[in-house]
Amino acid sequence: MVSAYNFGRARQCWQKGGRKYCQKNDDVFGMMEADMHNLAPAVGELNADRSNYRFGLLPDTESKHGACPFKVDFKARVAEPRPEVRGFIARVQFYMHDRYNLPMSRQQQQLYMVWNKQYPPSVWELERDKRIAARMGNHNPFVTGQKVWSLGYKNSGDGINSDSKQMSAAPTEIGTGLNIRGNRNSKVYHLPKGCPSYEKVSHRNIVPFDTEIDAQNAGYRKAGNCK
């Protein structure tokens, strides 16, 4: 979703020899290229037409991809995805820019913040994040609700520090996890045992956590009716 061109050009290796040079000489580029949170299946023609164009809205552009509600303005170098995946795309953009310390224009930040709000994580997006975390060792915190993007957000660069490099180079299973359910509206978390309201949290409001410490660090408090 964040193209190799867009994250690669932030690396010095790209200036020396493009993608192939980065693949051979830059471990961080390798981590970005292989980050599963940024990868999703796509129709080949749409993927080719999207190229490395930025995402945006094209109200005056006609869709020319049959039954796929997808638009591309080749002159403006902008692609408009279907509404159902806009929030998903926004949260991946937040993740990649934050984790690998990539610059994002004010205009793009504003657009993705709107999409993130309009289209909150679906049940499948939460499940997808859970499965990827079990492989890679880290979640997308903008999906789980542990991080929230705001205008002028300061990137953490978690993916390019030494600890993250080691983790990404040798991913391990982290167990089942994600048994704790936070409620993004009330900022309260519930345990699967001893908390009567665990099953009552609306799916669209669930923020999963591996441990109570993770929930508390994200600003959540334990439900008062938990035994």
Side-chain angles (χ1 to χ4, degrees):
M1 282 164 276
V2 178
S3 69
Y5 170 80
N6 286 323
F7 62 69
R9 62 181 178 168
R11 306 295 301 171
Q12 187 175 4
C13 63
W14 195 269
Q15 312 306 322
K16 293 182 177 180
R19 186 169 188 166
K20 290 185 178 180
Y21 186 87
C22 286
Q23 289 173 332
K24 293 180 179 179
N25 298 282
D26 191 329
D27 290 340
V28 173
F29 179 86
M31 290 192 300
M32 290 191 284
E33 190 176 40
D35 195 308
M36 296 174 69
H37 288 289
N38 188 45
L39 302 176
V43 176
E45 181 183 354
L46 269 64
N47 187 56
D49 284 354
R50 184 259 165 146
S51 183
N52 55 28
Y53 300 168
R54 63 181 174 86
F55 289 111
L57 295 174
L58 299 168
D60 299 323
T61 301
E62 293 184 6
S63 176
K64 298 181 180 180
H65 295 83
C68 297
F70 179 80
K71 300 178 182 179
V72 180
D73 185 326
F74 295 99
K75 185 176 181 179
R77 300 177 63 85
V78 176
E80 180 186 289
R82 58 192 173 94
E84 294 84 354
V85 298
R86 290 175 187 171
F88 173 43
I89 288 172
R91 287 179 284 276
V92 172
Q93 295 282 339
F94 292 155
Y95 166 83
M96 290 293 288
H97 284 77
D98 172 60
R99 185 167 180 81
Y100 300 108
N101 196 25
L102 305 174
M104 189 190 304
S105 71
R106 183 182 181 89
Q107 182 181 13
Q108 287 296 105
Q109 290 184 60
Q110 291 173 322
L111 175 68
Y112 293 141
M113 287 166 63
V114 171
W115 284 1
N116 177 54
K117 186 175 182 180
Q118 286 182 331
Y119 308 100
S122 64
V123 174
W124 166 242
E125 187 177 347
L126 292 168
E127 176 64 22
R128 175 183 182 274
D129 178 77
K130 173 182 174 181
R131 296 184 187 185
I132 291 175
R135 294 287 183 180
M136 287 188 56
N138 68 279
H139 297 282
N140 178 343
F142 298 97
V143 173
T144 64
Q146 292 170 288
K147 289 185 177 182
V148 178
W149 191 281
S150 58
L151 198 60
Y153 181 90
K154 185 177 180 180
N155 294 331
S156 68
D158 287 340
I160 56 178
N161 63 42
S162 58
D163 291 339
S164 294
K165 284 184 182 180
Q166 184 176 2
M167 180 182 294
S168 298
T172 57
E173 295 289 334
I174 60 172
T176 56
L178 296 175
N179 289 321
I180 297 173
R181 289 182 178 177
N183 186 319
R184 71 175 69 251
N185 286 337
S186 65
K187 292 294 182 179
V188 168
Y189 69 87
H190 308 264
L191 305 178
K193 293 183 179 180
C195 294
S197 300
Y198 182 82
E199 297 293 345
K200 297 180 181 179
V201 182
S202 171
H203 281 293
R204 67 182 294 124
N205 293 328
I206 292 177
V207 179
F209 296 100
D210 289 310
T211 68
E212 289 190 71
I213 296 297
D214 288 340
Q216 292 165 8
N217 287 340
Y220 286 70
R221 59 179 176 82
K222 190 174 183 179
N225 62 352
C226 293
K227 298 179 181 179

